C-alpha cells in the first residue's frame, strides 16, 4: 500500500469547518509518516472526477473531510474498488461517522484514528445501498421527510437549518397519507398507505434521527421503517422518539428487513444520504462488503 493519502475536502462543510479541519487532520497523518495531498473540486462533479482519478492512480486511502454529503460523494469513488475510506466528520449531521463510532468534529483525533488504522491494517467491511448507479451509506428517505427536503430546497428564505424547520411546518399543514406500492425482495407487491418509508443501510439520518434504529451496516440487509398514516398530533408526538430510536414501538410504525426494496408512489422524491436521487419509483439493493472503512 502506498503511503500517499488523499484528503477529499469540502471547504463549505459545517459552515466553513471543512476548510479548517483539513489542516489538523493532515498534520496528524503527516506526523504518523504519511504523505498527504488534498483535492478540492470546483463543484461536486469535478470533485468526484478528481477523487476517482486519485483512486485509479493508487492512493493509499481516500479521506473525506466534511459532512455526510462529502462522505456520500467519496463513496461514489471508492465503492467496490478496495481503496479504504477515511472520514474526518466536521459537517452538520455526521450520521455516517457517528454510527461507526468515529470522532465527530474532532479532526485531529479523526486523523489519528485513520493513521493508526492504516498502520495496523484495521478496516471494517461495510455494506452499501445502491439505487441505479448511486451508492449510499446511511438512509434512503421518501415521503414526508423527502417532501420537507423538496420544499426547503425550493425556498430562498430563511437561510440555514431554520429553512427546513419552516418547510416542516408547511408540510405538516399539508400532511396526508401517501399510497405506496412496495416490494420486498421477491415477495408480492404491497399497497401501503404511509406517511414515510425509510430504507436504512445505517441507523440514522438528519443529524442523529435513528429512523432505522436497529440497522446494521454489515448484515447484508436493509431495515425498512414504514410510518403509517398519522394525524399531525400523532406525528408530532412520535417525532421526538426518533432521536432515541424508540419510535419503532409505536403502533403506526412497522419495520421490515430485505436486501432489495422497490418503492413506487406519485409525486414523491427519494433522497439518499441527504442528497436528492430523483422521483420514485426507485429500487434499492444492498451490496455486501462494498467499502473498507478505516476505524
Amino acid at each position: 500500500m502506498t503511503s500517499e493519502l488523499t484528503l477529499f475536502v469540502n471547504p463549505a462543510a459545517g459552515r466553513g469547518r471543512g476548510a479548517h479541519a483539513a489542516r489538523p487532520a493532515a498534520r496528524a497523518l503527516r506526523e504518523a509518516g504519511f504523505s498527504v495531498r488534498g483535492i478540492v473540486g470546483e463543484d461536486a462533479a469535478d470533485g468526484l472526477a478528481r477523487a476517482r482519478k486519485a483512486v485509479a492512480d493508487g492512493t493509499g486511502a481516500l479521506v473525506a473531510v466534511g459532512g455526510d454529503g462529502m462522505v456520500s460523494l467519496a463513496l461514489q469513488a471508492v465503492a467496490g474498488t478496495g481503496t479504504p475510506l477515511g472520514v474526518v466528520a466536521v459537517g452538520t449531521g455526521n450520521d455516517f461517522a457517528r454510527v461507526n463510532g468515529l470522532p465527530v468534529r474532532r479532526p485531529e483525533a479523526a486523523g489519528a484514528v485513520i493513521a493508526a488504522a492504516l498502520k495496523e491494517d484495521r478496516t471494517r467491511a461495510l455494506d452499501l445501498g445502491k439505487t441505479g448507479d448511486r451508492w449510499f451509506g446511511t438512509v434512503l428517505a421518501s415521503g414526508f421527510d423527502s417532501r420537507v427536503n423538496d420544499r426547503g430546497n425550493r425556498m430562498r428564505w430563511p437561510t440555514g437549518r431554520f429553512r427546513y424547520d419552516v418547510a416542516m411546518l408547511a408540510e405538516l399543514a399539508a400532511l396526508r397519507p401517501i399510497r405506496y406500492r412496495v416490494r420486498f425482495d421477491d415477495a408480492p407487491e404491497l399497497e401501503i398507505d404511509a406517511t414515510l418509508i425509510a430504507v436504512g443501510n445505517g441507523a440514522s439520518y438528519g443529524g442523529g434521527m435513528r429512523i432505522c434504529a436497529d440497522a446494521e451496516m454489515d448484515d447484508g440487509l436493509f431495515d425498512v421503517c414504514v410510518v403509517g398514516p398519522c394525524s399531525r398530533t400523532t406525528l408530532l408526538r412520535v417525532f421526538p422518539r426518533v432521536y432515541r430510536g424508540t419510535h419503532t414501538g409505536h403502533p403506526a410504525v412497522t419495520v421490515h428487513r430485505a436486501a432489495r426494496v422497490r418503492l413506487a408512489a406519485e409525486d414523491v422524491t427519494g433522497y439518499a444520504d441527504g442528497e436528492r436521487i430523483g422521483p420514485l419509483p426507485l429500487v434499492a439493493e444492498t451490496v455486501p462488503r462494498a467499502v473498507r472503512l478505516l476505524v
Side-chain angles (χ1 to χ4, degrees):
M1 181 188 71
T2 177
S3 63
E4 182 179 87
L5 313 179
T6 303
L7 259 62
F8 187 26
V9 184
N10 178 3
R15 299 181 181 178
R17 282 191 296 268
H20 295 293
R23 289 191 289 271
R27 183 170 59 248
L29 290 166
R30 290 188 177 111
E31 287 175 353
F34 293 96
S35 172
V36 180
R37 62 183 292 263
I39 54 174
V40 180
E42 295 179 5
D43 54 26
D46 180 59
L48 178 55
R50 292 169 187 254
R52 283 176 167 156
K53 185 177 186 305
V55 170
D57 288 346
T59 186
L62 185 67
V63 179
V65 183
D68 287 323
M70 198 62 179
V71 172
S72 186
L73 198 60
L75 289 176
Q76 313 313 308
V78 300
T81 68
T83 298
L85 173 69
V87 176
V88 178
V90 290
T92 303
N94 303 310
D95 288 283
F96 186 92
R98 187 178 289 108
V99 299
N100 284 294
L102 298 174
V104 172
R105 297 181 186 166
R106 294 186 293 134
E108 190 165 4
V113 166
I114 292 165
L118 285 165
K119 287 189 170 185
E120 298 168 18
D121 195 22
R122 190 175 66 238
T123 61
R124 182 183 176 196
L126 299 181
D127 306 337
L128 294 177
K130 195 174 188 184
T131 177
D133 60 358
R134 180 80 184 191
W135 300 90
F136 65 95
T138 56
V139 177
L140 172 65
S142 72
F144 176 78
D145 43 4
S146 66
R147 285 180 166 168
V148 170
N149 266 320
D150 282 341
R151 185 181 288 269
N153 291 340
R154 292 193 302 267
M155 294 167 63
R156 294 293 172 263
W157 184 92
T159 59
R161 291 186 66 87
F162 187 55
R163 173 191 304 170
Y164 294 92
D165 295 336
V166 173
M168 180 178 289
L169 290 173
E171 286 300 322
L172 274 172
L175 184 66
R176 64 189 184 281
I178 298 165
R179 173 57 59 94
Y180 282 90
R181 299 186 307 282
V182 185
R183 188 171 185 181
F184 301 112
D185 291 328
D186 295 324
E189 185 177 82
L190 304 174
E191 288 199 352
I192 298 173
D193 287 332
T195 300
L196 65 87
I197 297 180
V199 180
N201 182 58
S204 71
Y205 67 171
M209 291 189 287
R210 297 181 59 80
I211 187 70
C212 300
D214 296 323
E216 298 286 347
M217 295 183 70
D218 57 2
D219 64 354
L221 294 170
F222 294 125
D223 279 29
V224 185
C225 179
V226 178
V227 179
C230 291
S231 67
R232 296 181 189 88
T233 301
T234 298
L235 189 59
L236 288 170
R237 186 181 300 124
V238 173
F239 180 77
R241 295 170 58 177
V242 175
Y243 286 94
R244 301 186 302 276
T246 58
H247 63 292
T248 56
H250 192 278
V253 179
T254 56
V255 178
H256 308 259
R257 307 192 81 217
R260 187 176 189 272
V261 181
R262 183 184 187 276
L263 300 176
E266 298 295 326
D267 301 319
V268 176
T269 305
Y271 283 77
D273 292 340
E275 304 295 316
R276 187 182 191 277
I277 300 299
L280 272 55
L282 291 171
V283 175
E285 298 183 87
T286 51
V287 182
R289 305 174 66 86
V291 67
R292 294 169 56 214
L293 180 66
L294 295 162
V295 295

